[in-house]
C-alpha cells in the first residue's frame, strides 16, 4: 500500500482531489481488520490499563463539547510514555488502522472526534503528564502533551515567569492539543499564537519513530523548520508528545477597563491610541456589541452592565505592568485622555481582582449566553485589523438583506483581527428552521471574508467542520503541497483520517 500511494503520487504532477480520496480510501480499508485480535495486540504494546474498550467508558471521548459531532471508536489507548505512543503508531501504520489523537477534548471543529465506523482508535495523550524542565535563565519550559494549559501557566509562575496563552478552556485543554491546533485566545495581540510560543517539539511519527526538535535554542538556522510544520497540523502529520515553550517576564499587575463606544471605527481609533500610549503593556483588546451584553446580562446569573448607560459597542481592554511600572496609574491616564479626546463615550476601570474577573466574565460568557438565546451560527474569521469596521458594516448589510430578522453578534479579539462572527436566530422563530439556513448564512459571511482577503479559520482550525470549505478557498498550489507533505509523513493515511484535508 505504501508503494501504491508513493508511486501514484510520483506520477501526478498536480494532485487532484479525486486521486487523494481514492488513495486514502484504499489505505484505510484493511481486510485483515479484526477487533479482538487488534485489542489483544494493543495491550501487549501499551499495557492492559492503557486500553479502554467499554463503550460506557468511551462516552466522554466520542463526542465534542458543542455536541455537533458524535463518533464510535474501536477503543481508546492512553499510553504512559512517548515511546509507547510511537510503538502504538507503528502498529497502526502496519495494520492500516485510523488513529484520532485527543488532548482535553475541547476543540470546536470536530478534529478530535472519531468517525462512525467504530474502526478508529482514539489516542489520548492525557497520561503524558511530566513537566520535564523549567529553566527561567533560558526562559524555557519543557512539558509533555497531556499537561493542561493552566498547569503550564502555573509552572511558569512558580519560577516568576509567564506563559501567555490564555483561553476559556484553559483548565482542561492540553498543551499537546493547543499546539496541534495552533490555539489563539485573548493574548495573541501581545504574544502571538501558539506557533509563536514553541521552541521545539517531540513528535511520534506514523511509522513509529520519535522526532525531537526539543531544546532551548532561540537561534537555529539549520534548514527546514520542522517544528512549525507540526504546529496546527491537527494530528494529521504526527502526534505531539512534548514541547519546549517560551517563557516571558511575569506581569506584576493588570488593569482591566470596560469602555462604551458608538461604533467599531471608534474602537479602531482607540486601539491605535492605546498602542501608542501603552506599548507592550497592551495585552488584550476585545470587541463586544450591545446585543452581546444584553444576552449576557439576561442569561448569565450575576452578570450586570458595568456602565451607567447603554452603548452600541464595547471594548474590554487589559494592560499589564512590568517591573516597577504602575499599571493602574498608566491605565487611569490612558482612559482619562481617551474620554477627553472622544475615543470612548464612557469607561470603567476595575479596582480589584474580583472586579477585573467580573469584566472578563462578561466577555467569556458570550458564547454560553448566545447558546441560551437560541440557535446560533458561528464563524471564526480573521481580517486585517484596519478593515474590521468595514467588514462588520458590510456583513450586517448583506445578512440584513437576505435574513432581515437574524441577529449578528460579532465579538472577539479585535486587537489581532479575529472576530467570532456569530449570528443569532430571530427573536421570535423556530431554532431548527433558523439553523437550516446555515449554508446560506455561511456563504454570505465566508464570501465576504474572501473579498476582504481574510481567513475562514482564525484560531479554531479546520477539523471536519471546515474541511470541505478549505478546498474551496485555499490556494490550490498550497493544497497540493499540503497533500504532498501528508503523503510523505503518513503514507498509510492513519493519522486523523478525514480531518483537515
Ligand atoms: Zn476566540
Amino acid at each position: 500500500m505504501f508503494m501504491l500511494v508513493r508511486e501514484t503520487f510520483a506520477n501526478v504532477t498536480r494532485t487532484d482531489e479525486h486521486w487523494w480520496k481514492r488513495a486514502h480510501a484504499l489505505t484505510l480499508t484493511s481486510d485483515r481488520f479484526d477487533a479482538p485480535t487488534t485489542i489483544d495486540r494493543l495491550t501487549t504494546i501499551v499495557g492492559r490499563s492503557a486500553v479502554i474498550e467499554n463503550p460506557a467508558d468511551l462516552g466522554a471521548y466520542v463526542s465534542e463539547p458543542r455536541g455537533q459531532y458524535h463518533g464510535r471508536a474501536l477503543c481508546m489507548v492512553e499510553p504512559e510514555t512517548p515511546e509507547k505512543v510511537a510503538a502504538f503508531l507503528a502498529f497502526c501504520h502496519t495494520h492500516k488502522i485510523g488513529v484520532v489523537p485527543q488532548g482535553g477534548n475541547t476543540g470546536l471543529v470536530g478534529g478530535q472526534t472519531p468517525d462512525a465506523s467504530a474502526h478508529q482508535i482514539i489516542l489520548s495523550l492525557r497520561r503524558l503528564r511530566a513537566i520535564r524542565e523549567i529553566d527561567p535563565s533560558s526562559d524555557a519550559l519543557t512539558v509533555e502533551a497531556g499537561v493542561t494549559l493552566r498547569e503550564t501557566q502555573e509552572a511558569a509562575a512558580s519560577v516568576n515567569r509567564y506563559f501567555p496563552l490564555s483561553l476559556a478552556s484553559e483548565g482542561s485543554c492540553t498543551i499537546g492539543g493547543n499546539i496541534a491546533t495552533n490555539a489563539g485566545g485573548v493574548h495573541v495581540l501581545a504574544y502571538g499564537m501558539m506557533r509563536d510560543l514553541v521552541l521545539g517539539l517531540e513528535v511520534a511519527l506514523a511509522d513509529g519513530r520519535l522526532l525531537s526538535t526539543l531544546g532551548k535554542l532561540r537561534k537555529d538556522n539549520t534548514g527546514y523548520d520542522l517544528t512549525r510544520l507540526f504546529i496546527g497540523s491537527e494530528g494529521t502529520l504526527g502526534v505531539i508528545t512534548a514541547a519546549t515553550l517560551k517563557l516571558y517576564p511575569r506581569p506584576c499587575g493588570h488593569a482591566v477597563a470596560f469602555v462604551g463606544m458608538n461604533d467599531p471605527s471608534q474602537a479602531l481609533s482607540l486601539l491605535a491610541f492605546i498602542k501608542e500610549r501603552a506599548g507592550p503593556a497592551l495585552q488584550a483588546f476585545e470587541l463586544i456589541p450591545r446585543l452581546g451584553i444584553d444576552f449576557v446580562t439576561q442569561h448569565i446569573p450575576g452578570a450586570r452592565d458595568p456602565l451607567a448607560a447603554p452603548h452600541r459597542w464595547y471594548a474590554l481592554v487589559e494592560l499589564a505592568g512590568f517591573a516597577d511600572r504602575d499599571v493602574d496609574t498608566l491605565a487611569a491616564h490612558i482612559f482619562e485622555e481617551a474620554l477627553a479626546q472622544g475615543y470612548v463615550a464612557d469607561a470603567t476601570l476595575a479596582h480589584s481582582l474580583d472586579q477585573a474577573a467580573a469584566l472578563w466574565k462578561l466577555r467569556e460568557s458570550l458564547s454560553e449566553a448566545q447558546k441560551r438565546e437560541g440557535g446560533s451560527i458561528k464563524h471564526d474569521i480573521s481580517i486585517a485589523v484596519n478593515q474590521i469596521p468595514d467588514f462588520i458594516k458590510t456583513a450586517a448589510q448583506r445578512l440584513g438583506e437576505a435574513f432581515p430578522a437574524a441577529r449578528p453578534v460579532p465579538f472577539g479579539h479585535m486587537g489581532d483581527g479575529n472576530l467570532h462572527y456569530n449570528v443569532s436566530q430571530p427573536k421570535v422563530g423556530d431554532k431548527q428552521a433558523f439553523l437550516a439556513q446555515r449554508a446560506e448564512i455561511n456563504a454570505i459571511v465566508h464570501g465576504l471574508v474572501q473579498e476582504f482577503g481574510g481567513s475562514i479559520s482564525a484560531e479554531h482550525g479546520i477539523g471536519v467542520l471546515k474541511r470541505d470549505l478549505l478546498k474551496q478557498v485555499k490556494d490550490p498550489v498550497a493544497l497540493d503541497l499540503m497533500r504532498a507533505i501528508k503523503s510523505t509523513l503518513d503514507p498509510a493515511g492513519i493519522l486523523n483520517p478525514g480531518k483537515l484535508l
Side-chain angles (χ1 to χ4, degrees):
M1 203 52 70
F2 177 85
M3 291 309 293
L4 172 70
V5 173
R6 297 289 296 217
E7 283 168 13
T8 310
F9 183 75
N11 292 331
V12 176
T13 48
R14 186 169 182 91
T15 321
D16 78 278
E17 195 189 311
H18 299 292
W19 164 81
W20 176 256
K21 277 188 183 154
R22 255 193 343 267
H24 280 263
L26 279 171
T27 55
L28 287 175
T29 307
S30 170
D31 49 14
R32 285 174 292 159
F33 193 88
D34 170 336
T37 315
T38 303
I39 287 175
D40 256 13
R41 297 279 300 280
L42 285 175
T43 60
T44 63
I45 297 168
V46 294
R48 165 57 65 190
S49 70
V51 180
I52 296 166
E53 49 179 318
N54 181 351
D57 296 332
L58 289 173
Y61 308 97
V62 294
S63 298
E64 44 74 52
R66 282 186 181 167
Q68 287 192 27
Y69 298 100
H70 306 276
R72 291 161 68 216
L74 174 68
C75 63
M76 177 165 89
V77 300
E78 35 182 25
E80 290 173 293
T81 65
E83 290 74 20
K84 287 183 179 175
V85 172
F88 162 72
L89 291 183
F91 172 81
C92 294
H93 176 79
T94 305
H95 297 282
K96 316 273 188 286
I97 300 168
V99 176
V100 182
Q102 197 177 94
N105 194 17
T106 57
L108 299 172
V109 292
Q112 73 276 36
T113 310
D115 68 13
S117 68
H119 287 185
Q120 298 182 334
I121 297 175
I122 298 171
L123 169 57
S124 170
L125 284 308
R126 65 181 178 169
R127 284 169 88 177
L128 300 184
R129 302 267 310 135
I131 293 178
R132 293 189 190 170
E133 189 188 3
I134 312 179
D135 177 0
S137 301
S138 306
D139 286 322
L141 168 66
T142 301
V143 295
E144 292 191 343
V147 175
T148 67
L149 175 53
R150 180 164 297 151
E151 290 163 340
T152 305
Q153 296 163 343
E154 287 167 354
S158 74
V159 293
N160 199 28
R161 293 291 184 275
Y162 184 55
F163 185 66
L165 193 77
S166 179
L167 18 127
S169 62
E170 62 196 22
S172 48
C173 65
T174 60
I175 285 298
N178 294 150
I179 297 171
T181 58
N182 187 28
V186 296
H187 290 150
V188 173
L189 160 68
Y191 298 94
M193 293 183 70
M194 194 60 173
R195 189 170 269 132
D196 302 302
L197 305 176
V198 174
L199 289 169
L201 289 179
E202 180 184 80
V203 185
L205 302 179
D207 63 8
R209 286 179 294 171
L210 264 183
L211 165 74
S212 178
T213 65
L214 292 176
K216 299 178 273 191
L217 304 181
R218 301 280 165 151
K219 291 185 164 181
D220 178 17
N221 267 349
T222 54
Y224 303 146
D225 191 341
L226 297 176
T227 302
R228 271 154 194 77
L229 183 59
F230 290 96
I231 303 173
S233 67
E234 301 187 22
T236 64
L237 299 181
V239 176
I240 293 155
T241 53
T244 307
L245 306 171
K246 291 182 191 170
L247 299 181
Y248 292 81
R250 191 180 179 196
C252 54
H254 286 97
V256 178
F258 203 82
V259 306
M261 293 167 301
N262 298 325
D263 54 44
S265 299
Q266 215 177 1
L268 190 63
S269 307
L270 176 68
L271 174 63
F273 172 75
I274 298 174
K275 278 182 184 172
E276 282 166 22
R277 291 294 191 280
L282 175 59
Q283 303 279 291
F285 190 102
E286 302 280 313
L287 185 71
I288 307 169
R290 177 66 214 178
L291 190 56
I293 295 298
D294 285 343
F295 288 176
V296 171
T297 49
Q298 215 174 311
H299 296 296
I300 305 295
R304 59 174 198 87
D305 189 337
L307 299 179
H311 299 272
R312 293 177 67 196
W313 290 87
Y314 299 88
L316 186 154
V317 183
E318 185 181 86
L319 304 178
F322 295 96
D324 55 1
R325 191 167 184 184
D326 174 4
V327 69
D328 290 321
T329 308
L330 172 73
H333 285 155
I334 285 175
F335 289 101
E336 269 166 30
E337 202 181 332
L339 272 164
Q341 303 219 9
Y343 290 119
V344 298
D346 194 7
T348 183
L349 270 171
H351 292 293
S352 66
L353 288 176
D354 283 351
Q355 284 180 6
L359 294 180
W360 265 114
K361 193 170 180 215
L362 292 172
R363 160 65 186 88
E364 283 168 353
S365 304
L366 280 166
S367 293
E368 180 57 30
Q370 212 178 358
K371 194 195 244 178
R372 295 191 197 176
E373 182 68 17
S376 161
I377 297 175
K378 297 166 186 295
H379 309 89
D380 165 41
I381 60 114
S382 72
I383 48 176
V385 174
N386 72 320
Q387 291 183 313
I388 283 187
D390 258 5
F391 180 89
I392 289 176
K393 198 171 156 192
T394 315
Q397 272 165 4
R398 291 204 191 162
L399 281 167
E401 283 158 19
F403 302 97
R407 295 175 293 167
V409 189
F411 68 89
H413 323 296
M414 176 162 177
D416 57 56
N418 175 195
L419 289 179
H420 296 306
Y421 198 97
N422 295 355
V423 186
S424 272
Q425 69 168 79
K427 205 168 171 57
V428 183
D430 179 61
K431 178 177 172 180
Q432 291 313 323
F434 174 71
L435 294 179
Q437 297 163 329
R438 186 188 300 274
E440 292 132 284
I441 289 181
N442 284 350
I444 292 172
V445 176
H446 289 143
L448 195 61
V449 168
Q450 288 280 93
E451 286 175 35
F452 275 73
S455 169
I456 49 101
S457 176
E459 61 173 4
H460 295 169
I462 300 298
V464 182
L465 182 70
K466 292 182 180 168
R467 186 190 56 191
D468 295 332
L469 179 62
L470 184 74
K471 287 173 195 149
Q472 297 161 29
V473 302
K474 192 90 175 168
D475 172 6
V477 179
L479 277 174
D480 274 357
L481 292 181
M482 285 165 70
R483 289 176 184 133
I485 292 166
K486 169 74 172 169
S487 294
T488 301
L489 288 174
D490 181 22
I494 63 159
L495 292 175
N496 223 0
K499 314 290 166 51
L500 208 162
L501 282 173

